[in-house]
């Protein structure tokens, strides 16, 4: 603009000079203009044309500026209208949701923070998501059991001399590493692979004396294929994963298993689960609300009572296994079918599921062929948001014959009669619990569970489980006899998780858990003894991913 103004000024000055020269020669006699005057007139004409061109350009720029300002004003008006509409929608949503605006804002902030902390990796079209955590746990038990972070429920009676001392230790073995690899073949087909590992393997060389040479172990390791078509889909899983009968939080999808949020690596009694190899096919329908699945999973059998001398029920482990272990003589997989439905009741999310289990148990009658029996189980669970974002609850139950190994307490599956026949044991499991999200950083939880088996008396009272002739007279005498079988395991557990930090650098949290456990034997000589165990756990965890 300054350059154009200077040009206009110069042009005007030239015009004035030319005008003055013309006035000076006006009174002279007319004669042919010299060549110099003609050249000056041509320059004046050219400058006038340039002035007019500059004026036209300045006018065009003013018109453009006016149009641009009008467009900016229009955009600002549209933006203000959009803001007003968004505020109206937010007000309407806040009025209909059973949560406060502060809770909504907290959830939004959490989602934004999570989005900012994106730890995914990309390699040749594959998306890789690392996961896991580092944990240092402290463990206290009233009665010594010699357990690490995973508690057993064979609580010792006072006849066990070690039970007169308490137990305390630190452990980092529940620390966990995981990865998820995903690749989209096309908009309808997706491939996946997931692995999760911890350090709770205990080879014979492992000890706590000096090197703590505990080895990694597979928790889950499987592949998936998902075919999705609009409001339905099919999902194939093959590998080692949580059993299909394990409660899910939503649908029947891997990595949606709902485990109690405790520190103890052995779950509350009454929680039905297993992690084992298998193959599963699931389908979802009705806009992904109804799920149906079937699975074939790796079999194993646990035994109780006396095994007749003419029966071979297990074999020393061979290649690929620790030779100190044994394997039961199974040849058919455990079959599981499950149906699940996701809905809302009074605006609260509810997940309901039911399942059935069929098992085959095998043994060899020495010199007389093989012997087999069939077991079964049935059960279900319900998971509900009592107050969305604040209080969650879950309840599950399972009953049947020969289902012991699927319970946290690990009660036996079968026993034998004197003739070598296999007899599955009747059992039920119950679990109930709730988790309170007191604040964005604090979760409180409480669970209660129970597993109980029925007595099975066979061959005139000489074989079976829960025999009334079992000698329980010395259960409370140091070094005394305590031969009865376990009838029931109960536990109450409660604790909290407090997040110390959650942000772009991951999450750090501390947890404390208390558990009270009861073990009761079947009635025998000396009565129906019962013993209890108080346990406390402290955990420091860091989730970097």
């Amino acid at each position: 603009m300054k350059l154009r103004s200077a040009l206009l000024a110069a042009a005007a000055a030239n015009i004035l000079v030319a005008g003055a020269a013309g006035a000076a020669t006006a009174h002279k006699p007319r004669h042919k203009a010299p060549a110099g005057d003609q050249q000056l007139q041509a320059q004046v004409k050219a400058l006038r044309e340039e002035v007019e061109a500059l004026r036209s350009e300045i006018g065009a720029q003013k018109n453009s500026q006016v149009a641009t300002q009008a467009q900016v004003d229009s955009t600002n008006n549209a933006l203000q209208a959009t803001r007003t509409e968004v505020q109206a929608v937010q007000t309407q949503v806040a009025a209909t949701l059973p949560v406060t605006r502060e809770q909504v804002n907290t959830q939004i902030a959490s989602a934004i923070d999570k989005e900012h902390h994106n730890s995914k990796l990309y390699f040749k079209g594959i998306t890789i998501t690392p996961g896991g955590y580092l944990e240092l746990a402290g463990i206290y038990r009233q009665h010594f059991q010699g357990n690490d972070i995973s508690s057993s429920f064979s609580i010792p009676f006072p006849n066990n001399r070690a039970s007169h001392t308490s137990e305390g230790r630190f452990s980092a073995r529940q620390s966990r590493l995981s990865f998820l690899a995903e690749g989209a073949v096309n908009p309808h087909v997706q491939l996946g692979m997931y692995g999760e590992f911890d350090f709770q393997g205990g080879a014979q060389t492992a000890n706590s004396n000096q090197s703590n040479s505990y080895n990694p172990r597979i928790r889950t390791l499987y592949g998936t294929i998902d075919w999705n078509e609009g409001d339905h889909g099919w999902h194939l899983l093959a590998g080692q994963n949580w059993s299909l009968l394990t409660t899910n939080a939503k649908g029947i999808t891997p990595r949606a298993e709902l485990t109690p949020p405790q520190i103890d690596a052995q779950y509350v009694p009454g929680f039905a689960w297993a992690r084992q190899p298998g193959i599963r096919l699931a389908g979802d329908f009705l806009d992904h609300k109804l799920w149906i699945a079937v699975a074939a999973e790796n079999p194993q059998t646990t035994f109780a009572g006396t095994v007749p001398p003419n029966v071979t029920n297990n074999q020393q482990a061979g290649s690929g296994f620790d030779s100190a272990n044994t394997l039961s003589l199974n040849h058919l997989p455990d079959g599981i079918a499950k149906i699940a439905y996701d809905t809302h009741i009074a605006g609260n999310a509810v997940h309901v599921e039911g399942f059935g289990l069929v098992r085959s148990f095998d043994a060899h009658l020495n010199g007389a062929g093989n012997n087999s029996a069939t077991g079964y189980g049935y059960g279900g669970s319900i998971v509900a948001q009592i107050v969305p974002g604040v209080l969650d609850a879950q309840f599950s139950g399972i009953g049947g014959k020969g289902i012991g190994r699927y319970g946290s307490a690990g009660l036996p599956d079968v026993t034998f009669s004197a003739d070598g026949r296999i007899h599955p044991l009747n059992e039920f499991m119950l679990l109930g619990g709730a988790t309170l999200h007191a604040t964005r950083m604090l979760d409180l939880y409480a669970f209660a569970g129970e597993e109980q088996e029925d007595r099975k008396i066979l061959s005139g009272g000489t074989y079976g489980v829960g025999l009334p002739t079992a000698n329980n007279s010395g259960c409370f005498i140091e070094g005394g006899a305590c031969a009865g079988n376990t009838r029931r395991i109960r536990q109450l557990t409660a604790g909290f998780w407090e997040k110390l930090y959650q942000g772009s650098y991951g999450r750090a949290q501390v947890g404390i858990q208390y558990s009270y456990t009861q073990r009761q034997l079947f009635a025998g000589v000396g009565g129906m003894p019962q013993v209890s165990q108080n346990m406390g756990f402290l955990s420091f965890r860091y989730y970097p991913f």
Side-chain angles (χ1 to χ4, degrees), residues 268-271 394-395 430-434 446-450 490-493:
V268 181
F271 179 63
Q394 64 184 91
F395 177 83
L430 296 173
L431 174 72
F447 283 79
E450 176 179 356
R490 289 175 170 174
Q491 186 180 86
L492 295 172
T493 189

Side-chain angles (χ1 to χ4, degrees), residues 350-371:
V350 177
H351 173 80
V352 181
E353 61 185 39
F355 65 85
L357 165 69
V358 177
R359 307 187 64 196
S360 177
F361 308 109
D362 302 281
H364 178 69
L365 297 175
N366 302 338
N370 297 324
N371 180 27

Side-chain angles (χ1 to χ4, degrees), residues 148 155 158 176 518:
D148 200 89
I155 303 171
R176 190 176 302 170
Q518 291 181 339

Side-chain angles (χ1 to χ4, degrees), residues 3-12 14-15 42-58:
L3 178 61
R4 289 169 181 163
S5 299
L7 290 174
L8 286 172
N14 288 332
I15 293 173
Q43 290 177 352
V44 170
K45 181 179 179 181
L47 288 172
R48 285 175 177 172
E49 292 176 351
E50 185 176 357
V51 168
E52 291 300 325
L54 289 173
R55 285 176 177 173
S56 299
E57 184 176 353
I58 292 173

Side-chain angles (χ1 to χ4, degrees), residues 263 441-443 496-501 508-512 538-541:
I263 300 171
M441 306 296 280
L442 176 63
D443 287 345
F496 72 83
W497 287 103
E498 171 73 20
K499 297 182 182 69
L500 305 177
Y501 169 82
Q509 65 186 41
V510 60
I512 293 178
L538 173 66
S539 173
F540 295 93
R541 291 183 182 179

Side-chain angles (χ1 to χ4, degrees), residues 433-488:
T435 301
L436 173 66
H437 308 288
T439 69
R440 184 188 174 195
M441 306 296 280
L442 176 63
D443 287 345
L444 306 171
Y445 63 87
F447 283 79
E450 176 179 356
E451 297 181 28
Q452 180 174 310
E453 282 193 330
D454 291 347
R455 186 192 303 267
K456 178 75 74 172
I457 301 175
L458 303 167
S459 305
T462 57
Y463 283 83
V465 171
L467 302 182
T469 56
N471 187 359
N472 295 333
S473 61
C475 289
F476 297 96
I477 301 172
E478 187 172 335
C482 190
N485 300 118
T486 299
R487 172 178 179 263
R488 180 172 64 196

Side-chain angles (χ1 to χ4, degrees), residues 297-337:
E297 299 182 2
N298 192 62
Q300 275 293 287
T301 305
T302 56
F303 303 91
T306 302
V307 179
N310 65 326
V311 170
T312 299
N313 63 315
N314 55 38
Q315 180 69 30
Q316 184 178 14
S319 177
F321 295 98
D322 191 322
S323 60
N325 296 326
T326 59
L327 299 174
S328 57
L329 305 182
N330 302 93
H331 68 280
L332 292 177
D334 291 351
I336 304 174

